[in-house]
Amino acid sequence: MINGVGRYIPDNLKPFISSDNYQGIPRKQIPKKTKVENTQFVENISTIFELINIKSNMTLSFHHHLRNGDKVIQIVAEEIKNRNLLNMHIAPSSIFPSYTNLVDLIKNKNITNIHTNYLNGEVAKIISQGYLDGELIMNTHGGRAVVIESGELPIDVAFIACPVVDKNGNGHGAIGKSACGTLGYAISDLEYAKRVVLVTDTIVENLEEYQIDGKFVDYVVKIDSIGDSSGIVSGTTEVTKDPIGLKIAKDCANLLDYLGLIKNDFSMQTGAGKTSLAVVKFVNDLMVKKGIVGSFASGGITKAYVDMLESNLFKSLYDVQCFDLDAVLSYAKNKNHLAMSASEYGNPYEDNPICERLDFVILGATEIDLDFNVNVTTDSLGNLIGGSGGHADIAHGADVTIIISPLVKSRIPIIKEKVMTVTTPGSDVDILITERGIAINPRRVDLRQKLKNSNYPIFEINELLEMTHKITGVPRKIETDDKIIGYVQYRDGTFLDCLRKVKDEY
Amino acid sequence: MKGVAGSKESNDCLITIESSNETKIEINSIVGAFFYDQIYSTIENTLKNENITDVHVIVEDKGALDYTIKSRLLTAIERMREDV
């Protein structure tokens, strides 16, 4: 059948209807994990496989807070390989380029099904080529919490990399030699997995502050090192120097101001890319100039926001994942730098998730189409290159959702008639800012009205597309293979789009 | 005789042109799936306008726009003519 964004979804899956359809549906939660009386401390991962009797066809979950420095998923993958377990289902919150040893396991059918929110690198490449025997399900950060708490994604064992653990099994991410900051993506796994294993390299007597509650922890494994610190804090901290990026960022900040969004107690979120960081800098400057104090910034937190918190430009930060070392240190010492779980961040069924409290968000796009649907999951050939992460969550939650992007990236127009893959429905995308013009979603009559008499170069999105084609030429239509390799699942659990194998000729 | 112009930076292209016994255009582009035909005709038309035949042209393209491709080719042609 055809779903609410005009995409084909097989009849056995719940089709996406609309981004606010969840409002009429009650929250479904399986019982949380029962209290563990005695957390056991174990010497190595292999022993865990014996104790829990991890076998073929099981579902194992992971978080990605150690990003490119993560060793835990690789150690567990080695164990799967050594034992030749087959048809394993893994559910890491993201898959990074360094997770290269998953490639052989996928090709050899040790791993056949994957749930994740974001993936790139070699694993993404081979899945795009059709090597995953089962299916890839791509969730949002909030949606992952939904499928876990509802029991739709039952986890047999959660392996939670944890920089420091105490004798009671409580764990924390802010300190330790592999400190990575908050562990927001691991909380649903902790609360709902059948078995929970903390993997650490630092054990202390007693933690006074912790994010991981030992009452859910069955086992703690101490290994030499859970992560390579140089890969953990991999976020960029540099503002873009690209004149096009700077122009877009400056226009974006000025537009926010024109719309009256830079006001006392406002809240915002941006990505961590270089152009987003430029927006943050320009917003910072505006706040200083106008004497504005914001309520909060949220997201993956970077140094730029830490500086604003310390300058009292924001009252607090809600942080699901620290992007750089400054954010890790700030989370460890500043009481107004608050951790949030993925569920508190983006789960539509939470009472008042952070994403719903956002005034505006600034996001990127690989493609955007004439209906304002955004793709950040695949490139224009259909190769997997990312995923929603929080994109669809905050695009829905925020009052104003702005996409910033150059019109052309290496000759590829970012505006398409139809995006290759729908990551975020166009009904949740309000404004597109490019270096040559701004487009406003026709649904936002209020914003169009406000900007009607402004000096901004405002166009219809199809006019921007025509403008782009005059520069680049009209790109040839790309065909995908018929084989479905997986699905994009929306944050409410419905299905937004199919992922298809990339044709061999590309 | 041979001329080279351009670079392999993003949004640019590196063009090599060399005299040969027949005209041959070879295109290796990161956006070939979308723009191969356009790149080909830009090269073909530019050669025609310059009255050049019997050359081997190699385009290594990193997403250059047509005017970039054309100007890189014209420069490569100049350099080929100087290369005696």
Side-chain angles (χ1 to χ4, degrees):
Chain A
M1 75 188 77
I2 300 299
N3 72 7
V5 284
R7 298 289 162 135
Y8 163 80
I9 298 294
D11 288 339
N12 61 330
L13 298 175
K14 281 179 296 180
F16 168 81
I17 294 169
S18 69
S19 63
D20 55 6
N21 189 61
Y22 69 89
Q23 285 169 1
I25 295 168
R27 185 175 189 174
K28 190 180 166 207
Q29 282 169 290
I30 56 172
K32 281 191 187 175
K33 195 169 183 297
T34 48
K35 189 175 184 311
V36 176
E37 291 303 333
N38 286 308
T39 302
Q40 286 189 52
F41 287 72
V42 177
E43 291 299 311
N44 56 56
I45 294 282
S46 188
T47 310
I48 288 290
F49 272 64
E50 298 292 334
L51 286 168
I52 304 181
N53 190 19
I54 295 177
K55 48 185 197 286
S56 294
N57 301 301
M58 277 190 165
T59 301
L60 311 181
S61 81
F62 306 86
H63 66 68
H64 70 277
H65 288 281
L66 300 170
R67 289 194 288 274
N68 258 321
D70 191 298
K71 291 184 185 169
V72 173
I73 191 166
Q74 311 225 42
I75 292 169
V76 173
E78 279 308 304
E79 197 62 33
I80 291 172
K81 191 175 170 184
N82 292 342
R83 291 166 183 265
N84 197 28
L85 303 181
L86 297 170
N87 300 315
M88 300 301 284
H89 175 189
I90 60 165
S93 48
S94 294
I95 295 175
F96 276 72
S98 67
Y99 303 178
T100 48
N101 71 344
L102 299 180
V103 170
D104 279 348
L105 275 79
I106 291 168
K107 287 187 170 173
N108 297 332
K109 301 185 185 175
N110 301 101
I111 294 170
T112 51
N113 285 282
I114 297 179
H115 269 76
T116 194
N117 309 346
Y118 178 97
L119 76 170
N120 64 16
E122 200 58 26
V123 173
K125 191 174 158 192
I126 63 144
I127 294 175
S128 303
Q129 292 165 348
Y131 282 101
L132 187 69
D133 199 48
E135 281 170 358
L136 169 71
I137 307 289
M138 301 216 48
N139 295 106
T140 72
H141 286 327
R144 184 175 186 274
V146 171
V147 293
I148 292 174
E149 72 175 22
S150 69
E152 185 182 327
L153 169 58
I155 298 167
D156 291 302
V157 186
F159 285 95
I160 300 178
C162 193
V164 58
V165 180
D166 73 11
K167 293 278 163 68
N168 303 310
N170 298 317
H172 206 31
I175 49 175
K177 66 181 176 185
S178 303
C180 60
T182 86
L183 299 170
Y185 297 127
I187 305 302
S188 296
D189 309 50
L190 173 76
E191 293 176 345
Y192 292 100
K194 289 180 195 127
R195 288 282 179 272
V196 172
V197 180
L198 299 189
V199 185
T200 190
D201 50 27
T202 306
I203 292 181
V204 296
E205 201 53 40
N206 188 38
L207 285 168
E208 286 187 5
E209 278 183 50
Y210 50 85
Q211 194 182 6
I212 302 290
D213 191 330
K215 76 180 181 190
F216 296 112
V217 177
D218 297 279
Y219 300 98
V220 176
V221 188
K222 184 173 183 287
I223 59 177
D224 291 340
S225 167
I226 59 168
D228 170 7
S229 57
S230 66
I232 297 172
V233 283
S234 52
T236 175
T237 52
E238 268 179 48
V239 170
T240 186
K241 292 190 180 75
D242 170 36
I244 293 175
L246 281 170
K247 175 178 173 9
I248 292 168
K250 184 117 209 172
D251 287 351
C252 179
N254 289 337
L255 187 80
L256 291 167
D257 193 29
Y258 188 92
L259 289 171
L261 291 164
I262 310 295
K263 57 178 193 288
N264 277 322
D265 279 327
F266 81 95
S267 53
M268 71 183 282
Q269 182 169 335
T270 59
K274 289 185 173 193
T275 310
S276 288
L277 288 174
V279 177
V280 177
K281 181 188 170 290
F282 291 130
V283 168
N284 180 334
D285 296 349
L286 275 170
M287 291 170 78
V288 171
K289 196 171 119 195
K290 299 170 67 138
I292 302 281
V293 177
S295 166
F296 72 87
S298 60
I301 293 296
T302 54
K303 178 178 188 294
Y305 285 116
V306 169
D307 291 346
M308 290 170 89
L309 179 69
E310 288 177 359
S311 315
N312 298 314
L313 291 175
F314 281 113
K315 290 172 189 161
S316 54
L317 302 178
Y318 287 100
D319 192 351
V320 68
Q321 167 187 37
C322 299
F323 272 132
D324 55 37
L325 198 57
D326 293 85
V328 175
L329 294 173
S330 166
Y331 169 57
K333 67 167 204 259
N334 192 327
K335 66 177 182 355
N336 296 318
H337 188 145
L338 303 159
M340 62 176 172
S341 69
S343 189
E344 292 162 342
Y345 169 38
N347 178 345
Y349 297 105
E350 288 273 355
D351 282 341
N352 191 13
I354 296 297
C355 69
E356 288 290 339
R357 298 186 228 167
L358 283 161
D359 291 330
F360 65 86
V361 296
I362 313 296
L363 293 165
T366 310
E367 297 181 324
I368 181 167
D369 69 20
L370 298 182
D371 296 321
F372 286 80
N373 295 314
V374 171
N375 172 17
V376 290
T377 304
T378 57
D379 68 12
S380 298
L381 291 171
N383 292 295
L384 294 157
I385 48 144
S388 172
H391 200 288
D393 295 315
I394 61 173
H396 179 70
D399 293 339
V400 179
T401 297
I402 299 176
I403 302 292
I404 53 171
S405 176
L407 268 186
V408 179
K409 291 176 185 166
S410 297
R411 198 170 180 164
I412 311 263
I414 81 131
I415 304 174
K416 309 278 167 172
E417 281 174 31
K418 298 254 175 245
V419 288
M420 175 63 75
T421 308
V422 182
T423 313
T424 296
S427 56
D428 287 337
V429 174
D430 302 315
I431 301 176
L432 167 67
I433 302 180
T434 73
E435 74 279 24
R436 287 170 193 262
I438 293 169
I440 305 164
N441 192 326
R443 288 165 171 263
R444 292 304 298 261
V445 177
D446 58 328
L447 296 174
R448 287 186 164 227
Q449 192 62 30
K450 275 188 187 172
L451 287 162
K452 203 172 64 182
N453 297 317
S454 73
N455 293 324
Y456 289 100
I458 294 172
F459 299 89
E460 295 301 330
I461 193 162
N462 63 309
E463 294 173 329
L464 286 179
L465 175 65
E466 283 159 25
M467 197 189 289
T468 316
H469 284 174
K470 278 187 190 142
I471 300 167
T472 63
V474 180
R476 190 194 299 163
K477 284 246 176 331
I478 294 299
E479 286 170 13
T480 48
D481 198 281
D482 289 336
K483 186 187 171 188
I484 292 177
I485 57 168
Y487 301 95
V488 178
Q489 190 172 21
Y490 192 59
R491 56 200 297 262
D492 64 356
T494 60
F495 286 82
L496 202 51
D497 209 345
C498 300
L499 298 164
R500 289 187 169 84
K501 180 175 175 287
V502 175
K503 277 204 160 182
D504 295 335
E505 66 204 70
Y506 300 136
Chain B
M1 289 188 296
K2 184 179 172 181
V4 181
S7 77
K8 290 191 190 175
E9 296 293 319
S10 192
N11 306 306
D12 199 354
C13 61
L14 182 71
I15 296 191
T16 308
I17 182 167
E18 207 167 352
S19 46
S20 169
N21 46 18
E22 56 169 357
T23 296
K24 193 175 153 200
I25 299 168
E26 210 177 296
I27 295 166
N28 181 5
S29 170
I30 57 164
V31 295
F34 306 96
F35 294 112
Y36 182 91
D37 295 346
Q38 273 182 248
I39 297 168
Y40 194 93
S41 62
T42 301
I43 299 289
E44 204 177 31
N45 294 337
T46 308
L47 291 176
K48 206 167 150 192
N49 291 342
E50 295 294 305
N51 290 317
I52 289 179
T53 52
D54 298 339
V55 284
H56 185 191
V57 181
I58 302 169
V59 184
E60 290 166 88
D61 174 49
K62 301 290 176 190
L65 296 170
D66 281 337
Y67 52 71
T68 309
I69 296 169
K70 187 176 174 186
S71 52
R72 293 305 191 193
L73 178 57
L74 289 172
T75 307
I77 291 169
E78 283 303 310
R79 287 176 183 164
M80 178 179 73
R81 283 172 173 152
E82 288 162 9
D83 182 42
V84 185

